Amino acid sequence: MKTGTLTKPSTVNQSGLATSFSIQGSGFYVPEDIVTNEMLTRTFDTTDEWIQEKTGIRERRYLQNDMATSDMCVHASLDAIYDAGIAMEDLDAIVLCTTTPDQQVPSTALIVKEKLGAKNAIPFDLTQAACAGGIYSILFASHLLQNQFINNVLVIGAEVLSRYIDPADRITKTFFGDAAGAILLQKTGEGSGLLAWDLDSSLNMAVTLHGGGTARMPEGADLFTSHFIRMNGREVWKTATRNLPISIQNAVQKAGLQVSDIDHFILHQANLNIIKKTMRALDVPMEKTTVTIQEYGNTGAASLFSALHKSLEEKAIKPGDYLVISAIGAGFLWGSLCVKYTKNQ
């Protein structure tokens, strides 16, 4: 019997991009304060077993009152920059996705830039993609890297969702937590980085955060409660389980690959059962994905970065691997990226 080295299937670059990039570094930060399911049972008519069965979540983290989103971003960013091995002055742009900025103005990305001392970086804020923020921010950053003067882009996803939870709402209190994640994208040799992408959307008010905008408010509306997240979990489940598998298949096919060619899947950590159903729909074993929702809950725009960081730390993703990153967020906005992972030497 002849033996030989297995070769990767060939791909077709359908990203529309001429310049490739590598995920050169990653970092992740969660607050110290842990809120367990058992702690929630003291307030709500629920059990640890019920929460784990319905969501997969065991605990979540809440940010200390004297800290803000930008503080978490700085912690995660410093780790990503150190991991990438670049100097702070080599950072050309910062792309921050969050629905919980420090305030409306000034820019939270600018605050992070100043705290880091990244004097040459252009700050960008993406504030309304919610849990799909990781997809939108990576896609946006990959387009920035097409510019000849931009070589290193820091991409951050962060949320302090605990500040927007109705203390009397069992659903949101169960699901959401706080975290920040960051990756450093860097130009690299041809054939790596983004191979293809798929985005779609459909306006739906199943997840809302009305406060802070200019929407028409009905007479007598409670301005305080309008600052709470409201979520129709059943509608989220239906939309996510229907659209995520389709989006993933579209991105993979555009890259000239089969789903079976993908080495690892990074999915939005909204609900463990959504992740399991998506993987079953793709006929892919759970061993090919990384799950963080048990420890952190749904951390919104930070969620993809939590799973990506853990995958890289545990070496579940190796240089040369094909990777799919997929998420859905309030709106609804959803999408998938098909990436060939490399790391510059």
Side-chain angles (χ1 to χ4, degrees):
M1 179 186 295
K2 291 183 179 181
T3 60
T5 303
L6 292 175
T7 58
K8 291 280 187 180
S10 59
T11 59
V12 179
N13 191 326
Q14 290 292 318
S15 66
L17 306 178
T19 302
S20 301
F21 64 84
S22 67
I23 301 173
Q24 190 69 3
S26 72
F28 186 65
Y29 176 83
V30 288
E32 296 177 358
D33 293 347
I34 298 174
V35 178
T36 65
N37 290 346
E38 190 277 329
M39 293 167 69
L40 295 183
T41 64
R42 302 171 196 172
T43 306
F44 296 104
D45 181 17
T46 188
T47 65
D48 173 51
E49 292 77 17
W50 186 91
I51 295 172
Q52 290 202 51
E53 178 187 346
K54 297 298 182 181
T55 70
I57 300 169
R58 294 195 301 264
E59 59 189 41
R60 67 289 293 147
R61 308 291 184 99
Y62 287 176
L63 189 64
Q64 302 93 305
N65 289 334
D66 61 346
M67 293 180 68
T69 298
S70 62
D71 296 309
M72 294 198 303
C73 291
V74 169
H75 282 291
S77 298
L78 287 171
D79 286 347
I81 292 165
Y82 177 81
D83 188 32
I86 68 165
M88 198 63 71
E89 58 265 28
D90 293 330
L91 194 59
D92 299 303
I94 297 170
V95 180
L96 169 60
C97 55
T98 182
T99 54
T100 61
D102 284 11
Q103 62 272 308
Q104 291 297 312
V105 287
S107 154
T108 304
L110 176 55
I111 293 171
V112 173
K113 169 188 173 173
E114 292 296 316
K115 288 182 177 181
L116 289 174
K119 60 181 181 180
N120 297 319
I122 309 166
F124 296 94
D125 295 87
L126 300 179
T127 60
Q128 287 189 294
C131 301
I135 300 296
Y136 277 73
S137 58
I138 295 171
L139 183 61
F140 179 65
S142 68
H143 282 75
L144 289 176
L145 287 165
Q146 305 309 296
N147 188 289
Q148 63 176 318
F149 300 114
I150 295 179
N151 297 298
N152 296 290
V153 180
L154 180 68
V155 181
I156 311 167
E159 304 284 9
V160 186
L161 294 169
S162 63
R163 308 266 169 94
Y164 295 87
I165 293 174
D166 183 346
D169 181 10
R170 183 181 68 171
I171 295 176
T172 54
K173 194 78 173 176
T174 297
F175 272 99
F176 293 113
D178 305 338
I183 56 175
L184 193 288
L185 301 184
Q186 185 178 83
K187 282 180 179 171
T188 190
E190 192 174 332
S192 63
L194 186 62
L195 302 174
W197 52 273
D198 177 80
L199 291 182
D200 207 345
S201 58
S202 178
L203 182 60
N204 190 309
M205 297 297 180
V207 185
T208 59
L209 179 55
H210 289 295
T214 62
R216 293 183 298 273
M217 297 293 288
E219 192 71 28
D222 188 330
L223 295 178
F224 177 70
T225 59
S226 73
H227 284 74
F228 292 145
I229 299 169
R230 299 301 180 191
M231 183 173 72
N232 180 332
R234 186 176 297 277
E235 189 69 14
V236 172
W237 167 273
K238 184 173 66 175
T239 306
T241 56
R242 179 177 66 240
N243 291 298
L244 286 182
I246 295 171
S247 180
I248 291 169
Q249 289 169 334
N250 287 343
V252 170
Q253 289 170 7
K254 288 176 185 177
L257 297 169
Q258 303 293 322
V259 170
S260 58
D261 297 323
I262 304 303
D263 298 289
H264 208 70
F265 296 77
I266 301 295
L267 305 180
H268 170 44
Q269 306 293 300
N271 182 316
L272 181 58
N273 294 322
I274 290 177
I275 296 171
K276 287 180 176 180
K277 188 170 177 63
T278 299
M279 296 295 281
R280 284 198 302 270
L282 296 168
D283 195 24
V284 176
M286 284 293 290
E287 289 75 19
K288 279 195 168 188
T289 192
T290 297
V291 179
T292 60
I293 192 169
Q294 306 101 315
E295 296 88 359
Y296 309 131
N298 181 348
T299 57
S303 131
L304 282 179
F305 297 96
S306 72
L308 181 56
H309 180 70
K310 183 178 180 181
S311 299
L312 293 170
E313 268 202 329
E314 296 179 348
K315 301 191 185 310
I317 303 171
K318 301 174 289 298
D321 278 356
Y322 291 126
L323 174 66
V324 160
I325 306 172
S326 186
I328 184 167
F332 286 107
L333 305 167
W334 63 89
S336 302
L337 310 176
C338 186
V339 174
K340 185 174 182 181
Y341 172 69
T342 59
K343 188 168 184 178
N344 293 335
Q345 299 301 313

